[in-house]
Amino acid sequence: MGSGCLIPRRCFRSRAGWQRKTVIPGLAKREPGTHDWVSAMTYFVYLMASKRSGTLYLGVTNDVARRAYEHKSKQNAGFTSRYGVDRLVWYEQFEDIRDAIDREKILKKWRRAWKITLIEDMNPEWKDLYEGLV
């Protein structure tokens, strides 16, 4: 490639010399047949609850077990720690971050009753699914 660039297809030449490309995980353009860490990412849309039919929180992440743990341990001061939302009750998996974000936006517009039906279709007893992930 040239000096300062160790990763193929991650650099470009400008007037100032070789520069690193900024790569946003999940949004990087890939050539057909190439495989890199971006194509191996998995993303999740998830619902947390305080209790059965309690307060709900909807989010998106690339590591649902880590994110559920953060909610459970109240690592971030905010909505979930304030309202005791610490039970992972539903999630969906995606290979593309754009699909996950689109699904999250759609679900945020849903009525509460529709979200409850979605949860109960996958998890009728509202068990904490975090235990099965770790």
Side-chain angles (χ1 to χ4, degrees):
M1 266 272 121
S3 74
C5 185
L6 302 175
I7 305 171
R9 292 188 308 269
R10 293 286 189 251
C11 300
F12 66 94
R13 186 165 188 143
S14 71
R15 291 182 185 169
W18 287 97
Q19 307 272 328
R20 292 193 85 196
K21 292 181 183 177
T22 301
V23 177
I24 300 170
L27 298 179
K29 300 285 185 203
R30 295 186 292 277
E31 298 173 22
T34 62
H35 300 285
D36 57 21
W37 65 272
V38 173
S39 62
M41 293 290 286
T42 303
Y43 303 92
F44 300 88
V45 177
Y46 66 96
L47 276 163
M48 304 285 296
S50 59
K51 59 183 179 179
R52 184 182 189 98
S53 299
T55 305
L56 298 177
Y57 175 84
L58 176 67
V60 64
T61 185
N62 65 344
D63 186 345
V64 73
R66 174 192 50 81
R67 192 68 180 112
Y69 175 78
E70 290 172 357
H71 288 296
K72 287 179 160 308
S73 61
K74 299 179 181 8
Q75 289 185 6
N76 302 315
F79 182 86
T80 57
S81 60
R82 188 177 325 128
Y83 293 99
V85 179
D86 60 0
R87 192 185 293 190
L88 177 66
V89 292
W90 175 89
Y91 63 90
E92 279 182 356
Q93 185 174 335
F94 297 87
E95 291 182 11
D96 190 319
I97 186 63
R98 292 168 291 198
D99 294 336
I101 291 169
D102 288 345
R103 178 67 166 158
E104 180 196 29
K105 287 179 180 178
I106 289 168
L107 292 177
K108 284 202 182 257
K109 295 177 183 176
W110 276 24
R111 295 177 183 196
R112 178 182 169 77
W114 299 350
K115 293 174 191 170
I116 289 173
T117 300
L118 185 69
I119 293 165
E120 290 181 345
D121 286 346
M122 177 185 180
N123 186 5
E125 296 179 17
W126 290 66
K127 291 182 182 175
D128 189 355
L129 302 176
Y130 173 75
E131 303 304 325
L133 296 175
V134 291

